[in-house]
Amino acid sequence: SMSLREHALFLFRSAVDIVRPAPMLKRALKLQGDRCPQLLVKGQAFPVKRDLYLVGFGKAVLGMAAAAEEILGDRLIRGIINVPLGIQESLQRAGMQEMLLKPHSKIQVIEGAKNNLPDPEALKGAVAIQELAEGLTADDLLLVLISGGGSALLPAPIPPILLEEKEKLTKMLASRGAAIQELNIVRKTLSLLKGGGLARLAYPTQVVSLILSDVIGDPLDIIASGPTAASSHSVQDCLQILTKYNLLHNLPKSVETVLSRSPTKPTAPEDYSHVRNIIIGSNVLALAEAKCQAEGLGYATLILSAAICGEVGCVATLYCQLIQLVCLGFAGLGEGPLGDKVKANLLQLAAELEIPGLNIAEFLQALQELRPERPVCILAGGETTVQLQGTGKGGRNQELALRVALGLHRAQATDISSLLGRCEIVFLSGGTDGQDGPTEAAGAFCSPELVDEALQEGLNVETFLSNNDSYTFFSQFQGGYHLLVTGLTGTNVMDIQAILIRAR
């Protein structure tokens, strides 16, 4: 029989595999018919009247393009994709040939956006994509591949704004504490291709976008800054943000020019009747596959949320309380005063975290209805944030796992300790792109015993956490046994967490 750790690893891999570019595209995209060919996307049919073109941008787009070209064959006339600097070499080194284009591909690859920042190479690719889109006719079809990281790879400021002027403005906003949403609104307003710009330039060509989402809730106008989606923001919103951060009076001349001549209302969505945006991969899809596999392994499985967000310490506390509640349930004490106390804590935590769409009361009800004899699996996904205080090495997933371990260790000093001892527990958190922070790990596993075992080896978990040094802790401890190392996956739908619990 497999250990809980092996089960957790299997579930994480299943979740990632379902959103890998090749299988994902093969499920979503088909080309049928010779005489009057049609592109079928998730059951929707698009006639290919004349020529078929492809453009794409994002961290997972190389693999998506390789799979798309295989499906489209000779029908594809030409393509251009903008991908992160060095990605072809990384995939080559990792032996992931299936993610690379064939030698005589019709798709041109431009690498840019070093360190995920817009640069002249990314601009060159954006201009090439813009020119291709503008040259199409009403009878052509443009297939657009979009994944996370697409924003930095599609920088084309509205003339006369220069790339460095736009960058400087974004940096100034960031240094004054602007949120990522605010930065994106300003970027989009000053951009030629973002905020629906690419779709407008391609008009009247039929545009079909296949999107791999790395954003909570899958909002079309936010993923890669929504180049083929109507923007829900106006110039007014941009001006408000610049006013809020006291930047309205030291803007470059070019930015002033563009803001003064833009329409102040968002463009009417009816301008986008020639566009279809279709999400073909997301955290929701990955979690659904993991749930299916967990049930196959005999677990009673619940999905908490695909929108987990908030400070990593608060999220760790939420998971620790959930684990305690499941252990109380196994002991038949879920209904008593201890159970009520944990439930009250959970309701308060959930309210503080404000996780979109999470109905914690409903979830607790579902948890209560599980049969006590079956092992339990709770799945979740999203993206937490870490407040950096130290200079250590790690990432949000490794830190989350270490904080959960510490929380469970502290719970053992309370009246719930004997219950935790009666359950076998594993927690896993991992990034679906195979990277967590600046390390080769995708995340980490933990169990309630971890902190005690570390203390016996003279390692103080709290010291590592206060220096944001989770990676150093995990790599020193038990030869990195608790690290989740998958290598690059070629995809990205944020993070996946799994809690597995069975009675000893």
Side-chain angles (χ1 to χ4, degrees):
S1 83
M2 287 162 82
S3 69
L4 285 194
R5 182 183 180 277
E6 287 167 325
H7 279 172
L9 180 60
F10 171 72
L11 296 179
F12 179 77
R13 295 208 157 161
S14 320
V16 171
D17 285 345
I18 199 89
V19 290
R20 280 186 194 264
M24 188 175 63
L25 262 116
K26 284 175 187 152
R27 273 196 316 275
L29 185 68
K30 290 186 177 45
L31 186 66
Q32 65 171 33
D34 275 342
R35 284 249 221 31
C36 317
Q38 283 187 325
L39 201 58
L40 282 184
V41 185
K42 277 190 152 182
Q44 293 184 52
F46 302 96
V48 183
K49 298 179 200 149
R50 208 179 92 170
D51 292 339
L52 186 55
Y53 292 88
L54 178 151
V55 297
F57 27 88
K59 293 179 181 176
V61 157
L62 189 60
M64 289 166 79
E69 186 164 30
E70 215 164 282
I71 295 162
L72 302 175
D74 295 337
R75 279 276 158 207
L76 179 66
I77 302 296
R78 179 171 168 235
I80 302 171
I81 57 171
N82 243 8
V83 294
L85 189 69
I87 191 162
Q88 294 178 96
E89 195 193 331
S90 300
L91 291 170
Q92 191 91 47
R93 265 207 318 270
M96 294 168 81
Q97 255 45 44
E98 75 282 2
M99 301 244 184
L100 296 167
L101 295 169
K102 300 280 184 287
H104 303 293
S105 168
K106 290 177 184 166
I107 300 170
Q108 177 191 356
V109 181
I110 297 169
E111 292 193 358
K114 190 180 178 183
N115 301 327
N116 203 21
L117 294 167
D119 59 13
E121 286 306 304
L123 179 59
K124 192 176 97 181
V127 170
I129 287 171
Q130 178 194 336
E131 286 169 356
L132 186 145
E134 287 174 328
L136 303 179
T137 71
D139 288 340
D140 293 322
L141 192 146
L142 179 64
L143 189 64
V144 184
L145 307 176
I146 300 176
S147 78
S151 204
L153 286 159
L154 206 64
I158 299 171
I161 303 172
L162 300 173
L163 185 60
E164 43 272 28
E165 290 176 322
K166 190 174 151 191
E167 276 318 284
K168 198 173 156 195
L169 181 60
T170 311
K171 280 193 182 127
M172 276 161 70
L173 275 167
S175 71
R176 293 183 186 198
I180 183 71
Q181 289 81 356
E182 295 176 315
L183 292 176
N184 282 341
I185 291 169
V186 173
R187 276 190 200 132
K188 268 199 308 196
T189 312
L190 305 177
S191 182
L192 206 53
L193 299 174
K194 292 170 184 160
L198 179 61
R200 287 196 299 276
L201 291 174
Y203 182 84
T205 310
Q206 171 76 62
V207 177
V208 180
S209 284
L210 307 185
I211 302 167
L212 176 64
S213 169
D214 69 333
V215 182
I216 283 175
D218 309 332
L220 293 173
D221 66 327
I222 304 287
I223 304 161
S225 301
T228 56
S231 175
S232 52
H233 302 107
S234 67
V235 172
Q236 221 42 57
D237 298 318
C238 176
L239 291 169
Q240 266 174 344
I241 293 162
L242 294 171
T243 308
K244 175 178 168 185
Y245 295 103
N246 232 337
L247 285 169
L248 209 48
H249 301 297
N250 43 2
L251 292 175
K253 199 91 204 94
S254 57
V255 174
E256 281 183 13
T257 307
V258 167
L259 290 176
S260 64
R261 66 169 187 228
S262 306
T264 46
K265 286 206 266 309
T267 29
E270 57 265 21
D271 300 352
Y272 291 83
S273 54
H274 63 299
V275 183
R276 270 290 177 286
N277 288 303
I278 301 164
I279 303 250
I280 61 165
S282 66
N283 194 277
V284 173
L285 189 76
L287 287 175
E289 176 62 15
K291 178 178 197 270
C292 180
Q293 297 294 340
E295 284 168 347
L297 291 171
Y299 287 88
T301 309
L302 292 175
I303 293 175
L304 176 65
S305 165
I308 297 292
C309 55
E311 208 280 313
V312 69
C314 299
V315 174
T317 310
L318 180 83
Y319 287 144
C320 288
Q321 299 284 329
L322 273 175
I323 290 166
Q324 290 177 37
L325 194 59
V326 173
C327 293
L328 282 167
F330 275 146
L333 299 172
E335 293 308 286
L338 264 179
D340 291 344
K341 189 174 132 191
V342 175
K343 278 181 210 158
N345 285 346
L346 276 164
L347 288 164
Q348 191 187 335
L349 267 170
E352 281 168 24
L353 279 164
E354 295 182 345
I355 291 163
L358 171 62
N359 183 338
I360 192 80
E362 209 172 88
F363 181 82
L364 295 178
Q365 187 58 42
L367 200 55
Q368 208 173 303
E369 286 161 12
L370 297 180
R371 296 213 309 276
E373 65 279 5
R374 273 177 78 192
V376 169
C377 169
I378 296 174
L379 297 164
E383 207 159 88
T384 56
T385 44
V386 176
Q387 295 289 324
L388 286 176
Q389 287 153 334
T391 53
K393 254 178 121 173
R396 56 179 184 262
N397 290 289
Q398 293 165 73
E399 179 147 334
L400 179 58
L402 199 48
R403 286 189 182 277
V404 167
L406 184 60
L408 293 173
H409 170 74
R410 287 177 178 158
Q412 285 171 329
T414 65
D415 41 12
I416 210 157
S417 61
S418 62
L419 298 174
L420 285 174
R422 285 191 231 162
C423 294
E424 198 187 337
I425 301 160
V426 160
F427 173 81
L428 158 93
S429 185
T432 53
D433 59 355
Q435 285 174 304
D436 186 36
T439 72
E440 87 280 5
F445 304 85
C446 78
S447 62
E449 298 76 35
L450 181 88
V451 178
D452 272 336
E453 290 166 8
L455 284 169
Q456 282 163 14
E457 290 191 27
L459 297 172
N460 184 335
V461 165
E462 291 179 51
T463 311
F464 284 95
L465 278 172
S466 64
N467 193 27
N468 300 115
D469 206 11
S470 51
Y471 174 75
T472 307
F473 168 81
F474 283 121
S475 36
Q476 277 187 16
F477 182 63
Q478 290 190 350
Y481 174 76
H482 297 277
L483 282 173
L484 169 67
V485 182
T486 61
L488 273 184
T489 63
T491 189
N492 180 19
V493 294
M494 303 182 288
D495 303 335
I496 299 274
Q497 280 104 38
I499 298 169
L500 304 185
I501 305 175
R502 62 184 176 198
R504 285 193 193 274

